[in-house]
Amino acid sequence: MSTIAEFRFPATETMLATTFEQVPDIRFELESSVSQNRPCLWVIGADPETVREAFETDPAVEGYEHLVTAGDRLLYDVRFAGTTPLLSDELLEGTCSLLAVWGVDGWWQARVRVRDRDDLWTIRDRLLEEDITADLRRVTDVTAETTRDTRLTPEQQEALEAALEEGYFEIPRQISMEELAETLDISHQALSERLRRAYETLVNEELRPPGEPPTSNQ
């Protein structure tokens, strides 16, 4: 069993607080190839000139480089003046795996995987010792096996669990269907069909009258 949790941190105690103040609609997403020293951040909700002006006046930013433009998303290589708490040993030490980091409305959120809840409380206590407000928003225990009676196929269950873990069902979504399909090493069409059939199965099980057999959608 492992545990997946989401922490929330105020930007004023972590990073880019000034940028959030200057550009209220800006959103950041950490590029999946995480580097503790030189994190790459996707920027959504701001044009390059606005980002440049914000970074130039943000004391947390020592240097930056615009790497890629993908539609309305801008990828930046950012060098911070000091340590970045969301990527430092306070969060990553031990058995913690960083799954995702994003920032919006002056707050940063981090999704992590740990071995168990004891490790989770250790991380939270360590952050509080560093005067970083760690608001634990969600905790989910993930088991290798499930005893729940379900008519989902293994492929459908895998797709739903991956979608939940990667933030596909969140508002706004943390991952696109194309990216999720790539994670599962299947086509976009195959993932769409698995999710559609899984939704149908779950709705059928939830809404059917007591005693009535479920309709198969396999």
Side-chain angles (χ1 to χ4, degrees), residues 129-147:
E129 288 173 0
E130 297 294 327
D131 295 324
I132 299 173
T133 303
D135 181 12
L136 188 56
R137 307 281 288 178
R138 180 183 303 171
V139 181
T140 305
D141 291 324
V142 181
T143 58
E145 297 180 355
T146 178
T147 59

Side-chain angles (χ1 to χ4, degrees), residues 60-111:
V61 178
E62 188 174 87
Y64 63 93
E65 181 183 358
H66 180 197
L67 301 177
V68 175
T69 297
D72 60 349
R73 297 161 59 90
L74 310 172
L75 183 63
Y76 284 85
D77 182 4
V78 184
R79 185 171 68 256
F80 288 93
T83 59
T84 55
L86 298 187
L87 306 176
S88 64
D89 289 341
E90 282 79 15
L91 192 60
L92 294 178
E93 185 177 349
T95 58
C96 173
S97 298
L98 190 61
L99 301 178
V101 173
W102 65 98
V104 65
D105 294 332
W107 292 86
W108 287 92
Q109 288 189 231
R111 184 182 297 113

